[in-house]
Structures are given as structure tokens and as C-alpha cells.
Amino acid sequence: MNWNNLTEENQLEEIKQESYNQPVMILKHSTTCSISATALSRLERSWKDEVAKDLKPYYLDLLKLRPISNKIAQEFGVEHESPQILIIKNGQSVYDASHFDIRFDEIVNHI
């Protein structure tokens, strides 16, 4: 699985634009949370490029970059949780999940 790092707030506009051409996933991850670590590990172990197809995954370290996490909540109208994934299509969040609801099979059902 090849993560794209989300490190700058201006990337959110780029992600919105990208989402018109391909679905985009944002993972908000807490590096000190065992639930977040487990959810990340489960996602990475179950990830299959041939099933995910053109879904572009972004990774956000929300402890280091909390203002970006807050901006994501504001931009996409999704209440902040951690860990959390959002699927972005056509500039909008079409699916979100948090904690142990983060599952690869559910993600691909929404792309």
C-alpha cells in the first residue's frame, strides 16, 4: 500500500480536484492510540491494489497536524474522530468510518 502524505492544508483543494478524476481516501491516524494502530494495521494487511483500483490513499498524522484534521472536518462536513477514513468523490465526502468500522471491504463498496 502506497500512502501519500497529507502534510499541508492546501493539499485539501488538490484532493478535491483529484476526486473528480479518481476516488480519494483520507486516513486520519493517531500515532499514540492503540485503536488507531490496530485499524491501520488491519487496513494495510487487507489492502489489495487490484480491488482498490484507482483509489488514492492519503495519510494524515493528526497529532502533528491537528489543524489539517480540523479543516477536513469543516471542508467535508464530517465530525472529527480518530482513527477515521473519508472517501472523497467529486469534491465531497461520500463515506466515512472510524475506529473498528474502518474495513477494506466497506471502503471498496463506496468507491
Side-chain angles (χ1 to χ4, degrees), residues 22-49:
Q22 70 185 100
V24 176
M25 179 181 76
I26 298 172
L27 171 72
K28 298 193 307 183
H29 174 67
S30 171
T31 56
T32 61
C33 172
S34 62
I35 293 172
S36 195
T38 300
L40 174 62
S41 177
R42 285 176 34 181
L43 178 59
E44 289 180 333
R45 283 193 322 265
S46 61
W47 189 270
K48 293 177 180 70
D49 285 333

PDB file of all heavy atoms in Angstrom, residues 22-49:
ATOM      1  N   GLN A  22     -10.654  10.524  -9.853  1.00  0.00           N
ATOM      2  CA  GLN A  22     -10.487   9.237  -9.191  1.00  0.00           C
ATOM      3  C   GLN A  22     -10.908   9.396  -7.730  1.00  0.00           C
ATOM      4  O   GLN A  22     -10.791  10.481  -7.170  1.00  0.00           O
ATOM      5  CB  GLN A  22      -9.035   8.755  -9.265  1.00  0.00           C
ATOM      6  CG  GLN A  22      -8.062   9.574  -8.413  1.00  0.00           C
ATOM      7  CD  GLN A  22      -6.637   9.149  -8.595  1.00  0.00           C
ATOM      8  OE1 GLN A  22      -5.901   9.790  -9.315  1.00  0.00           O
ATOM      9  NE2 GLN A  22      -6.257   8.061  -7.964  1.00  0.00           N
ATOM     10  N   PRO A  23     -11.415   8.312  -7.118  1.00  0.00           N
ATOM     11  CA  PRO A  23     -11.772   8.422  -5.704  1.00  0.00           C
ATOM     12  C   PRO A  23     -10.514   8.567  -4.847  1.00  0.00           C
ATOM     13  O   PRO A  23      -9.445   8.044  -5.188  1.00  0.00           O
ATOM     14  CB  PRO A  23     -12.496   7.107  -5.410  1.00  0.00           C
ATOM     15  CG  PRO A  23     -12.040   6.165  -6.466  1.00  0.00           C
ATOM     16  CD  PRO A  23     -11.682   6.993  -7.665  1.00  0.00           C
ATOM     17  N   VAL A  24     -10.653   9.305  -3.753  1.00  0.00           N
ATOM     18  CA  VAL A  24      -9.551   9.581  -2.843  1.00  0.00           C
ATOM     19  C   VAL A  24      -9.974   9.157  -1.441  1.00  0.00           C
ATOM     20  O   VAL A  24     -11.123   9.374  -1.042  1.00  0.00           O
ATOM     21  CB  VAL A  24      -9.190  11.085  -2.860  1.00  0.00           C
ATOM     22  CG1 VAL A  24      -8.101  11.407  -1.851  1.00  0.00           C
ATOM     23  CG2 VAL A  24      -8.766  11.523  -4.260  1.00  0.00           C
ATOM     24  N   MET A  25      -9.036   8.556  -0.711  1.00  0.00           N
ATOM     25  CA  MET A  25      -9.285   8.192   0.681  1.00  0.00           C
ATOM     26  C   MET A  25      -8.322   8.967   1.570  1.00  0.00           C
ATOM     27  O   MET A  25      -7.145   9.065   1.271  1.00  0.00           O
ATOM     28  CB  MET A  25      -9.067   6.698   0.898  1.00  0.00           C
ATOM     29  CG  MET A  25      -9.295   6.265   2.346  1.00  0.00           C
ATOM     30  SD  MET A  25      -8.996   4.503   2.612  1.00  0.00           S
ATOM     31  CE  MET A  25      -7.198   4.465   2.612  1.00  0.00           C
ATOM     32  N   ILE A  26      -8.846   9.517   2.654  1.00  0.00           N
ATOM     33  CA  ILE A  26      -8.015  10.174   3.666  1.00  0.00           C
ATOM     34  C   ILE A  26      -8.111   9.346   4.936  1.00  0.00           C
ATOM     35  O   ILE A  26      -9.219   9.053   5.403  1.00  0.00           O
ATOM     36  CB  ILE A  26      -8.489  11.611   3.959  1.00  0.00           C
ATOM     37  CG1 ILE A  26      -8.403  12.480   2.712  1.00  0.00           C
ATOM     38  CG2 ILE A  26      -7.678  12.215   5.104  1.00  0.00           C
ATOM     39  CD1 ILE A  26      -9.038  13.862   2.875  1.00  0.00           C
ATOM     40  N   LEU A  27      -6.966   8.969   5.478  1.00  0.00           N
ATOM     41  CA  LEU A  27      -6.921   8.314   6.783  1.00  0.00           C
ATOM     42  C   LEU A  27      -6.351   9.290   7.782  1.00  0.00           C
ATOM     43  O   LEU A  27      -5.235   9.785   7.610  1.00  0.00           O
ATOM     44  CB  LEU A  27      -6.035   7.065   6.755  1.00  0.00           C
ATOM     45  CG  LEU A  27      -5.763   6.451   8.143  1.00  0.00           C
ATOM     46  CD1 LEU A  27      -6.992   5.761   8.699  1.00  0.00           C
ATOM     47  CD2 LEU A  27      -4.586   5.501   8.107  1.00  0.00           C
ATOM     48  N   LYS A  28      -7.125   9.576   8.832  1.00  0.00           N
ATOM     49  CA  LYS A  28      -6.643  10.396   9.939  1.00  0.00           C
ATOM     50  C   LYS A  28      -6.207   9.424  11.031  1.00  0.00           C
ATOM     51  O   LYS A  28      -7.030   8.666  11.554  1.00  0.00           O
ATOM     52  CB  LYS A  28      -7.736  11.343  10.427  1.00  0.00           C
ATOM     53  CG  LYS A  28      -8.170  12.310   9.335  1.00  0.00           C
ATOM     54  CD  LYS A  28      -9.016  13.460   9.818  1.00  0.00           C
ATOM     55  CE  LYS A  28     -10.210  13.069  10.607  1.00  0.00           C
ATOM     56  NZ  LYS A  28     -11.046  14.228  10.998  1.00  0.00           N
ATOM     57  N   HIS A  29      -4.920   9.451  11.344  1.00  0.00           N
ATOM     58  CA  HIS A  29      -4.326   8.446  12.232  1.00  0.00           C
ATOM     59  C   HIS A  29      -3.649   9.097  13.425  1.00  0.00           C
ATOM     60  O   HIS A  29      -2.913  10.065  13.279  1.00  0.00           O
ATOM     61  CB  HIS A  29      -3.292   7.637  11.435  1.00  0.00           C
ATOM     62  CG  HIS A  29      -2.510   6.663  12.239  1.00  0.00           C
ATOM     63  ND1 HIS A  29      -3.074   5.558  12.827  1.00  0.00           N
ATOM     64  CD2 HIS A  29      -1.197   6.625  12.556  1.00  0.00           C
ATOM     65  CE1 HIS A  29      -2.146   4.882  13.468  1.00  0.00           C
ATOM     66  NE2 HIS A  29      -0.991   5.508  13.325  1.00  0.00           N
ATOM     67  N   SER A  30      -3.913   8.544  14.614  1.00  0.00           N
ATOM     68  CA  SER A  30      -3.239   8.981  15.830  1.00  0.00           C
ATOM     69  C   SER A  30      -2.119   8.004  16.143  1.00  0.00           C
ATOM     70  O   SER A  30      -2.368   6.819  16.388  1.00  0.00           O
ATOM     71  CB  SER A  30      -4.213   9.025  17.006  1.00  0.00           C
ATOM     72  OG  SER A  30      -3.507   9.239  18.213  1.00  0.00           O
ATOM     73  N   THR A  31      -0.904   8.496  16.132  1.00  0.00           N
ATOM     74  CA  THR A  31       0.264   7.622  16.316  1.00  0.00           C
ATOM     75  C   THR A  31       0.421   7.125  17.751  1.00  0.00           C
ATOM     76  O   THR A  31       1.244   6.249  17.995  1.00  0.00           O
ATOM     77  CB  THR A  31       1.548   8.361  15.894  1.00  0.00           C
ATOM     78  OG1 THR A  31       1.638   9.582  16.640  1.00  0.00           O
ATOM     79  CG2 THR A  31       1.540   8.654  14.409  1.00  0.00           C
ATOM     80  N   THR A  32      -0.359   7.643  18.701  1.00  0.00           N
ATOM     81  CA  THR A  32      -0.238   7.193  20.087  1.00  0.00           C
ATOM     82  C   THR A  32      -1.430   6.360  20.546  1.00  0.00           C
ATOM     83  O   THR A  32      -1.479   5.949  21.705  1.00  0.00           O
ATOM     84  CB  THR A  32      -0.092   8.400  21.050  1.00  0.00           C
ATOM     85  OG1 THR A  32      -1.262   9.208  20.941  1.00  0.00           O
ATOM     86  CG2 THR A  32       1.149   9.208  20.729  1.00  0.00           C
ATOM     87  N   CYS A  33      -2.370   6.084  19.658  1.00  0.00           N
ATOM     88  CA  CYS A  33      -3.596   5.377  20.016  1.00  0.00           C
ATOM     89  C   CYS A  33      -3.536   3.923  19.548  1.00  0.00           C
ATOM     90  O   CYS A  33      -3.312   3.664  18.365  1.00  0.00           O
ATOM     91  CB  CYS A  33      -4.792   6.091  19.388  1.00  0.00           C
ATOM     92  SG  CYS A  33      -6.349   5.213  19.564  1.00  0.00           S
ATOM     93  N   SER A  34      -3.757   2.990  20.449  1.00  0.00           N
ATOM     94  CA  SER A  34      -3.699   1.572  20.080  1.00  0.00           C
ATOM     95  C   SER A  34      -4.833   1.185  19.127  1.00  0.00           C
ATOM     96  O   SER A  34      -4.638   0.347  18.239  1.00  0.00           O
ATOM     97  CB  SER A  34      -3.723   0.690  21.323  1.00  0.00           C
ATOM     98  OG  SER A  34      -4.931   0.864  22.036  1.00  0.00           O
ATOM     99  N   ILE A  35      -5.998   1.799  19.269  1.00  0.00           N
ATOM    100  CA  ILE A  35      -7.105   1.516  18.349  1.00  0.00           C
ATOM    101  C   ILE A  35      -6.738   1.991  16.943  1.00  0.00           C
ATOM    102  O   ILE A  35      -6.970   1.291  15.956  1.00  0.00           O
ATOM    103  CB  ILE A  35      -8.414   2.166  18.822  1.00  0.00           C
ATOM    104  CG1 ILE A  35      -8.876   1.502  20.120  1.00  0.00           C
ATOM    105  CG2 ILE A  35      -9.501   2.088  17.751  1.00  0.00           C
ATOM    106  CD1 ILE A  35     -10.051   2.186  20.777  1.00  0.00           C
ATOM    107  N   SER A  36      -6.138   3.160  16.858  1.00  0.00           N
ATOM    108  CA  SER A  36      -5.718   3.699  15.568  1.00  0.00           C
ATOM    109  C   SER A  36      -4.653   2.794  14.933  1.00  0.00           C
ATOM    110  O   SER A  36      -4.706   2.502  13.733  1.00  0.00           O
ATOM    111  CB  SER A  36      -5.194   5.122  15.743  1.00  0.00           C
ATOM    112  OG  SER A  36      -5.110   5.782  14.513  1.00  0.00           O
ATOM    113  N   ALA A  37      -3.704   2.334  15.740  1.00  0.00           N
ATOM    114  CA  ALA A  37      -2.648   1.446  15.235  1.00  0.00           C
ATOM    115  C   ALA A  37      -3.240   0.138  14.720  1.00  0.00           C
ATOM    116  O   ALA A  37      -2.843  -0.372  13.668  1.00  0.00           O
ATOM    117  CB  ALA A  37      -1.612   1.177  16.322  1.00  0.00           C
ATOM    118  N   THR A  38      -4.202  -0.393  15.443  1.00  0.00           N
ATOM    119  CA  THR A  38      -4.843  -1.642  15.024  1.00  0.00           C
ATOM    120  C   THR A  38      -5.632  -1.443  13.734  1.00  0.00           C
ATOM    121  O   THR A  38      -5.559  -2.261  12.821  1.00  0.00           O
ATOM    122  CB  THR A  38      -5.769  -2.167  16.141  1.00  0.00           C
ATOM    123  OG1 THR A  38      -4.978  -2.404  17.313  1.00  0.00           O
ATOM    124  CG2 THR A  38      -6.458  -3.452  15.733  1.00  0.00           C
ATOM    125  N   ALA A  39      -6.394  -0.353  13.653  1.00  0.00           N
ATOM    126  CA  ALA A  39      -7.176  -0.076  12.444  1.00  0.00           C
ATOM    127  C   ALA A  39      -6.264   0.096  11.227  1.00  0.00           C
ATOM    128  O   ALA A  39      -6.560  -0.423  10.150  1.00  0.00           O
ATOM    129  CB  ALA A  39      -8.043   1.161  12.642  1.00  0.00           C
ATOM    130  N   LEU A  40      -5.158   0.807  11.411  1.00  0.00           N
ATOM    131  CA  LEU A  40      -4.192   0.998  10.319  1.00  0.00           C
ATOM    132  C   LEU A  40      -3.610  -0.335   9.887  1.00  0.00           C
ATOM    133  O   LEU A  40      -3.550  -0.643   8.691  1.00  0.00           O
ATOM    134  CB  LEU A  40      -3.083   1.957  10.759  1.00  0.00           C
ATOM    135  CG  LEU A  40      -1.922   2.139   9.783  1.00  0.00           C
ATOM    136  CD1 LEU A  40      -2.387   2.738   8.461  1.00  0.00           C
ATOM    137  CD2 LEU A  40      -0.837   3.002  10.421  1.00  0.00           C
ATOM    138  N   SER A  41      -3.196  -1.142  10.837  1.00  0.00           N
ATOM    139  CA  SER A  41      -2.609  -2.440  10.523  1.00  0.00           C
ATOM    140  C   SER A  41      -3.605  -3.339   9.785  1.00  0.00           C
ATOM    141  O   SER A  41      -3.251  -3.981   8.786  1.00  0.00           O
ATOM    142  CB  SER A  41      -2.137  -3.113  11.816  1.00  0.00           C
ATOM    143  OG  SER A  41      -1.632  -4.389  11.548  1.00  0.00           O
ATOM    144  N   ARG A  42      -4.834  -3.388  10.262  1.00  0.00           N
ATOM    145  CA  ARG A  42      -5.863  -4.209   9.599  1.00  0.00           C
ATOM    146  C   ARG A  42      -6.100  -3.733   8.172  1.00  0.00           C
ATOM    147  O   ARG A  42      -6.234  -4.544   7.255  1.00  0.00           O
ATOM    148  CB  ARG A  42      -7.170  -4.150  10.383  1.00  0.00           C
ATOM    149  CG  ARG A  42      -7.159  -4.967  11.644  1.00  0.00           C
ATOM    150  CD  ARG A  42      -8.416  -4.845  12.462  1.00  0.00           C
ATOM    151  NE  ARG A  42      -9.626  -4.672  11.671  1.00  0.00           N
ATOM    152  CZ  ARG A  42     -10.837  -4.518  12.173  1.00  0.00           C
ATOM    153  NH1 ARG A  42     -11.012  -4.496  13.457  1.00  0.00           N
ATOM    154  NH2 ARG A  42     -11.881  -4.356  11.395  1.00  0.00           N
ATOM    155  N   LEU A  43      -6.153  -2.421   7.985  1.00  0.00           N
ATOM    156  CA  LEU A  43      -6.377  -1.870   6.648  1.00  0.00           C
ATOM    157  C   LEU A  43      -5.219  -2.223   5.720  1.00  0.00           C
ATOM    158  O   LEU A  43      -5.433  -2.686   4.598  1.00  0.00           O
ATOM    159  CB  LEU A  43      -6.570  -0.358   6.719  1.00  0.00           C
ATOM    160  CG  LEU A  43      -6.780   0.378   5.398  1.00  0.00           C
ATOM    161  CD1 LEU A  43      -8.006  -0.153   4.657  1.00  0.00           C
ATOM    162  CD2 LEU A  43      -6.906   1.870   5.629  1.00  0.00           C
ATOM    163  N   GLU A  44      -4.010  -2.031   6.187  1.00  0.00           N
ATOM    164  CA  GLU A  44      -2.846  -2.320   5.346  1.00  0.00           C
ATOM    165  C   GLU A  44      -2.731  -3.812   5.025  1.00  0.00           C
ATOM    166  O   GLU A  44      -2.355  -4.174   3.908  1.00  0.00           O
ATOM    167  CB  GLU A  44      -1.571  -1.811   6.018  1.00  0.00           C
ATOM    168  CG  GLU A  44      -1.494  -0.306   6.024  1.00  0.00           C
ATOM    169  CD  GLU A  44      -0.250   0.251   6.684  1.00  0.00           C
ATOM    170  OE1 GLU A  44       0.335  -0.427   7.580  1.00  0.00           O
ATOM    171  OE2 GLU A  44       0.139   1.365   6.330  1.00  0.00           O
ATOM    172  N   ARG A  45      -3.062  -4.678   5.964  1.00  0.00           N
ATOM    173  CA  ARG A  45      -2.985  -6.123   5.721  1.00  0.00           C
ATOM    174  C   ARG A  45      -4.044  -6.594   4.723  1.00  0.00           C
ATOM    175  O   ARG A  45      -3.823  -7.526   3.962  1.00  0.00           O
ATOM    176  CB  ARG A  45      -3.131  -6.909   7.027  1.00  0.00           C
ATOM    177  CG  ARG A  45      -1.902  -6.914   7.883  1.00  0.00           C
ATOM    178  CD  ARG A  45      -1.966  -7.948   9.015  1.00  0.00           C
ATOM    179  NE  ARG A  45      -3.272  -8.095   9.627  1.00  0.00           N
ATOM    180  CZ  ARG A  45      -3.683  -7.474  10.735  1.00  0.00           C
ATOM    181  NH1 ARG A  45      -2.886  -6.634  11.347  1.00  0.00           N
ATOM    182  NH2 ARG A  45      -4.890  -7.694  11.214  1.00  0.00           N
ATOM    183  N   SER A  46      -5.206  -5.960   4.730  1.00  0.00           N
ATOM    184  CA  SER A  46      -6.286  -6.395   3.842  1.00  0.00           C
ATOM    185  C   SER A  46      -6.295  -5.673   2.495  1.00  0.00           C
ATOM    186  O   SER A  46      -7.033  -6.057   1.591  1.00  0.00           O
ATOM    187  CB  SER A  46      -7.639  -6.210   4.537  1.00  0.00           C
ATOM    188  OG  SER A  46      -7.872  -4.859   4.854  1.00  0.00           O
ATOM    189  N   TRP A  47      -5.482  -4.622   2.350  1.00  0.00           N
ATOM    190  CA  TRP A  47      -5.458  -3.818   1.122  1.00  0.00           C
ATOM    191  C   TRP A  47      -5.027  -4.660  -0.072  1.00  0.00           C
ATOM    192  O   TRP A  47      -4.036  -5.386  -0.022  1.00  0.00           O
ATOM    193  CB  TRP A  47      -4.497  -2.648   1.290  1.00  0.00           C
ATOM    194  CG  TRP A  47      -4.576  -1.653   0.174  1.00  0.00           C
ATOM    195  CD1 TRP A  47      -3.848  -1.674  -0.985  1.00  0.00           C
ATOM    196  CD2 TRP A  47      -5.412  -0.505   0.111  1.00  0.00           C
ATOM    197  NE1 TRP A  47      -4.182  -0.602  -1.767  1.00  0.00           N
ATOM    198  CE2 TRP A  47      -5.145   0.136  -1.121  1.00  0.00           C
ATOM    199  CE3 TRP A  47      -6.347   0.053   0.971  1.00  0.00           C
ATOM    200  CZ2 TRP A  47      -5.785   1.307  -1.502  1.00  0.00           C
ATOM    201  CZ3 TRP A  47      -6.989   1.211   0.591  1.00  0.00           C
ATOM    202  CH2 TRP A  47      -6.698   1.822  -0.639  1.00  0.00           C
ATOM    203  N   LYS A  48      -5.771  -4.557  -1.150  1.00  0.00           N
ATOM    204  CA  LYS A  48      -5.439  -5.229  -2.403  1.00  0.00           C
ATOM    205  C   LYS A  48      -5.547  -4.192  -3.516  1.00  0.00           C
ATOM    206  O   LYS A  48      -6.634  -3.694  -3.807  1.00  0.00           O
ATOM    207  CB  LYS A  48      -6.389  -6.387  -2.667  1.00  0.00           C
ATOM    208  CG  LYS A  48      -6.244  -7.526  -1.677  1.00  0.00           C
ATOM    209  CD  LYS A  48      -7.271  -8.607  -1.954  1.00  0.00           C
ATOM    210  CE  LYS A  48      -7.173  -9.751  -1.000  1.00  0.00           C
ATOM    211  NZ  LYS A  48      -7.589  -9.452   0.353  1.00  0.00           N
ATOM    212  N   ASP A  49      -4.408  -3.879  -4.133  1.00  0.00           N
ATOM    213  CA  ASP A  49      -4.399  -2.868  -5.186  1.00  0.00           C
ATOM    214  C   ASP A  49      -5.368  -3.199  -6.314  1.00  0.00           C
ATOM    215  O   ASP A  49      -6.024  -2.307  -6.844  1.00  0.00           O
ATOM    216  CB  ASP A  49      -2.991  -2.706  -5.771  1.00  0.00           C
ATOM    217  CG  ASP A  49      -2.057  -1.949  -4.846  1.00  0.00           C
ATOM    218  OD1 ASP A  49      -2.549  -1.134  -4.032  1.00  0.00           O
ATOM    219  OD2 ASP A  49      -0.840  -2.169  -4.945  1.00  0.00           O
TER     220      ASP A  49
END
